[in-house]
Amino acid sequence: MAQFQPFPGMFLRIGSSYFEFMPHPLLPEDKEAVFVLEGGEALVYQVRNLDTQERCALKVFKASYRGPHLVRVTEVLQRHAHLPGLYLGYRICLTRTHYPEAVEAFPELEYAVLMPWIEARTWAGLMLDQAASVDYSFEQARQVALATAQILWNLEIRGLAHGDVAGGNILLTPQLSGVQLLDLEGLYAPGLPQPRKVSWGSPGYQHRNLPRQGQWCPQGDRFAGAVLLTEMLTWWEPRVRAHVADHAETLFPPQELQQSHTPLWQAVRDVLRSLSRDLLYLFDQAWSSSSLMECPELATWAMTLYSVFV
């Protein structure tokens, strides 16, 4: 058994296919630098399927996040991958039973996930980009909010929850007409065993009173979804952006969540009121809620957005 230290051009057999590890795009001459992104739970490598030439993502989890629950989550995602926003549900999970060659060669690959690679900007990335933020229009806000609400509604009516709705987990299509969800491994679904580490959300999207299981519950996306949709609906307005610190990845600083009478809170409410009093009501309801259960259902957000904009 060898330690898993891939290098550019290294081949890995997964099932009947071979995958090549890609060089880092900023260091093409470096013989050791592969294209890898590091997150809190995993390392994501870009690999190329030698049969199809398609780029894929190989997500290798850190030791404390590996476990058989990833197999169950993969099974659920495969059943729902046809839904809008769940393209990354087309995946396989590497286990000793089904992919013995890869796991026996590199034990660190047990429970790793192979899925499509999507080259796209995140919503947080757009907010961080001053030029892109200035160009962000009301029409784009309408489109991206509608698409996001539809996706979250589709999850909710099936008893599912992403568990960590945040700007960094939302991938945008080039024209901002659609989105894809990222980091699906923390998914809540009926019948799934609770993972050892549940999601407590991301800073800037966390409800002040989360239950013992954090956001790993059927209502887990309601508050974070309300904040995300509010970001999308108001970021086009310069008066809102003027109250946000430079290089902020979220609309609201974590310490201001569910705090009223701040200048930013007032500016956000003014924009929502100009769009629709129904949208303002939904925001106020989520903002003042004492629990996730008291937040508006994501179906209500979706239907309200459709009534206002379509």
Side-chain angles (χ1 to χ4, degrees), residues 189-204:
L192 278 183
Q194 182 171 315
R196 285 178 291 175
K197 295 190 176 184
V198 297
S199 172
W200 290 84
S202 296

Side-chain angles (χ1 to χ4, degrees), residues 4-236:
F4 185 64
Q5 293 181 326
F7 52 86
M10 172 178 150
F11 297 131
L12 176 68
R13 181 184 174 189
I14 299 177
S16 60
S17 298
Y18 283 88
F19 294 83
E20 178 185 11
F21 286 85
M22 304 305 295
H24 196 288
L26 300 179
L27 303 167
E29 303 303 320
D30 191 321
K31 302 302 182 183
E32 297 182 0
V34 294
F35 193 170
V36 59
L37 305 173
E38 182 170 7
E41 300 181 6
L43 297 170
V44 181
Y45 297 89
Q46 187 187 80
V47 296
R48 180 173 62 190
N49 185 318
L50 294 184
D51 295 327
T52 65
Q53 297 300 305
E54 292 179 336
R55 305 293 171 102
C56 301
L58 179 66
K59 190 166 188 176
V60 180
F61 292 90
K62 298 176 183 179
S64 60
Y65 291 95
R66 294 177 202 146
H69 72 281
L70 291 167
V71 179
R72 298 283 302 278
V73 171
T74 295
E75 293 169 351
V76 173
L77 288 171
Q78 288 172 338
R79 293 199 299 270
H80 294 95
H82 64 283
L83 295 174
L86 292 187
Y87 180 62
L88 294 182
Y90 289 109
R91 57 178 59 202
I92 60 172
C93 186
L94 306 190
T95 62
R96 291 184 182 275
T97 301
H98 293 99
Y99 301 96
E101 302 91 350
V103 176
E104 289 173 6
F106 302 107
E108 299 99 314
L109 293 183
E110 188 168 20
Y111 302 117
V113 169
L114 181 71
M115 56 189 163
W117 180 278
I118 301 178
E119 199 70 49
R121 181 201 292 267
T122 65
W123 171 252
L126 184 147
M127 295 183 73
L128 282 167
D129 186 330
Q130 186 173 12
S133 295
V134 171
D135 291 340
Y136 182 64
S137 66
F138 170 70
E139 177 59 26
Q140 289 173 325
R142 183 186 73 83
Q143 290 182 342
V144 75
L146 278 167
T148 302
Q150 178 68 56
I151 288 166
L152 296 178
W153 180 16
N154 276 333
L155 292 179
E156 184 181 61
I157 61 177
R158 290 168 173 81
L160 309 175
H162 179 279
D164 191 12
V165 170
N169 288 334
I170 303 293
L171 293 170
L172 305 172
T173 59
Q175 303 304 318
L176 303 191
S177 58
V179 303
Q180 294 290 337
L181 298 180
L182 194 63
D183 285 354
L184 298 169
E185 293 76 29
L187 185 80
Y188 170 86
L192 278 183
Q194 182 171 315
R196 285 178 291 175
K197 295 190 176 184
V198 297
S199 172
W200 290 84
S202 296
Y205 300 92
Q206 295 164 306
H207 196 281
R208 62 190 173 195
N209 293 320
L210 289 176
R212 285 186 305 170
Q213 70 272 30
Q215 293 184 173
W216 197 79
C217 61
Q219 303 81 28
D221 293 343
R222 287 187 183 179
F223 181 76
V227 174
L228 177 70
L229 291 171
T230 299
E231 290 179 344
M232 293 172 168
L233 288 167
T234 62
W235 193 244
W236 60 274

Side-chain angles (χ1 to χ4, degrees), residues 243 252-253 255-256 259-268 287:
H243 293 290
F252 293 101
Q255 67 274 15
E256 288 189 19
Q259 299 297 315
S260 301
H261 306 295
T262 66
L264 175 58
W265 172 83
Q266 190 61 60
V268 165
W287 199 254

